[in-house]
Amino acid sequence: MKIAILSFAHVHAATYLQLLRARPDMELITTDPDGNPDDPSRGKNLAHALDVPYVDTYDEALAHAPQAVIVTSETSRHRALVEQAAAAGAHILCEKPLATTAADAQAMIDACESAGVSLMTAYPVRFHPAFASLRHAVTNGAIGKLITVHGINNSSNPALQQPWFADPELAGGGAIMDHTVHIADLMDVLLDGEQPTQVYAQANQLLANEADSPQVETSGLVTLTYANGVVTTIDCSWSHPPTHPTWGGLTLTCIGQQGTAHFDAFPPLLRGYQTSQAQTRWEPGTTDLDAAMLEEFLTTARTGQRAHPDGSSGLRTLKIVLAAYQSLRTNQPATPQ
């Protein structure tokens, strides 16, 4: 299968490239015309380091007629690249969040439907087998009626690797835009697509270094209230220091009338201490979620089946994020529109 990677802006781009490069059934083509040519994590430099084919423009990449495309650009550039890939007849996996505005996300969905191609949103945690068990525990009543859910999705500040994550024009926001969507998507699955009736958010920039001059929030807490009475809180902060032994983590605790269920997407397999380096070692032990997501996407591209999570899933979670920003502006609860 021919597959094109459009842009190396997102921190996950290199991971996808490494996973696909290792497969004998993949023919890769890559491009990153918007990257700084002197940045080792962008453009020809990264392609050379990973030993993958590279062309200079998006048009050249799509001229190779890829069957599948992965969009890993800055968020505000998703729409243009998805529309271009859809016009070329490629099935598309797009990084989260799907867009910076609901109008752009809807346009992406419409373009893919008109072209007859699939649009998948990159939510890898959905594919964790333990999350499937959590969903079963919730839906079959094992913990009784669901009352509240506490979600945490923290990481180091991604702007330390890719500065555009702290650019409100390119990213659409900061920690709330970056991390609310993963937990919101898991809630989308647990509640069968039900949207919250109210979203309330608080945020600040206290976790940023003064030298960073942040333009976006670096920590946030978002509360979602659903019509069935379920209340969900989401800690979406960039709270891990650069020296933290893991990049990030995600946990979800569901509390019901008859019990609780706790999901940890990235539990440690091995933990210890190295005296020579005076640091804690933390080796994660979990399913390779990116690999599982890519396998689902490639199956979709081969068969033409509808992708899950699809573009509509990405739009629903984006609307929650946009409501959170409206709440920040007004200091009042907001309703996803």
Side-chain angles (χ1 to χ4, degrees):
M1 180 187 295
K2 288 183 180 179
I3 183 165
I5 309 293
L6 304 186
S7 179
F8 301 155
H10 202 280
V11 293
H12 290 159
T15 300
Y16 300 154
L17 282 169
Q18 290 168 324
L19 289 169
L20 293 169
R21 183 193 59 184
R23 298 180 56 131
D25 58 341
M26 293 291 110
E27 180 182 339
L28 289 178
I29 190 70
T30 68
T31 186
D32 185 29
D34 299 313
N36 184 338
D38 297 324
D39 186 344
S41 68
R42 300 292 301 263
K44 291 182 180 179
N45 294 322
L46 180 61
H48 178 73
L50 296 178
D51 192 26
V52 294
Y54 184 86
V55 294
D56 292 327
T57 69
Y58 297 124
D59 287 338
E60 288 179 82
L62 293 173
H64 284 257
Q67 188 174 348
V69 162
I70 300 178
V71 175
T72 41
S73 67
E74 298 86 348
T75 308
S76 64
R77 293 179 170 138
H78 286 178
R79 175 179 176 175
L81 293 179
V82 165
E83 290 177 334
Q84 194 172 350
H91 297 283
I92 302 159
L93 170 64
C94 184
E95 256 304 336
K96 62 81 193 170
L98 195 59
T100 59
T101 70
D104 280 353
Q106 186 62 60
M108 294 158 64
I109 294 169
D110 294 343
C112 291
E113 289 183 350
S114 296
V117 299
S118 293
L119 174 61
M120 182 175 178
T121 308
Y123 286 136
V125 184
R126 272 199 188 204
F127 299 95
H128 201 304
F131 177 68
S133 298
L134 174 70
R135 182 185 186 187
H136 183 66
V138 171
T139 58
N140 74 358
I143 63 172
K145 180 182 177 181
L146 188 62
I147 300 172
T148 187
V149 179
H150 179 49
I152 301 174
N153 187 194
N154 297 155
S155 75
S156 300
N157 188 335
L160 298 176
Q161 293 187 29
Q162 295 291 354
W164 70 266
F165 275 95
D167 184 326
E169 292 298 321
L170 293 175
I176 287 178
M177 179 65 81
D178 188 32
H179 280 323
T180 300
V181 288
H182 278 300
I183 301 291
D185 179 64
L186 299 183
M187 290 304 302
D188 195 63
V189 176
L190 293 177
L191 299 180
D192 294 324
E194 181 179 349
Q195 283 281 75
T197 56
Q198 285 190 342
V199 178
Y200 181 72
Q202 287 290 321
N204 58 52
Q205 300 174 337
L206 296 178
L207 296 177
N209 296 324
E210 292 183 7
D212 293 339
S213 300
Q215 302 181 64
V216 296
E217 74 286 349
T218 54
S219 59
L221 185 65
V222 181
T223 302
L224 314 179
T225 303
Y226 294 85
N228 61 4
V230 173
V231 176
T232 298
T233 61
I234 303 175
D235 178 352
C236 52
S237 306
W238 291 337
S239 55
H240 287 191
T243 54
H244 196 276
T246 61
W247 162 259
L250 186 150
T251 62
L252 200 66
T253 300
C254 297
I255 300 173
Q257 290 181 331
Q258 299 174 10
T260 64
H262 181 73
F263 166 61
D264 188 343
F266 305 100
L269 177 66
L270 174 67
R271 190 182 304 182
Y273 186 79
Q274 291 179 298
T275 56
S276 61
Q277 299 182 31
Q279 66 179 14
T280 300
R281 282 186 58 82
W282 182 320
E283 298 296 336
T286 184
T287 301
D288 190 328
L289 302 181
D290 289 326
M293 179 184 67
L294 286 176
E295 186 60 43
E296 174 73 14
F297 171 59
L298 296 175
T299 298
T300 295
R302 288 191 184 99
T303 63
Q305 298 174 348
R306 188 173 184 86
H308 293 286
D310 59 11
S312 295
S313 301
L315 175 57
R316 288 194 298 272
T317 51
L318 175 62
K319 286 182 177 181
I320 292 172
V321 172
L322 297 176
Y325 283 115
Q326 181 182 347
S327 175
L328 284 180
R329 290 190 294 270
T330 64
N331 201 32
Q332 297 292 325
T335 301
Q337 301 293 331

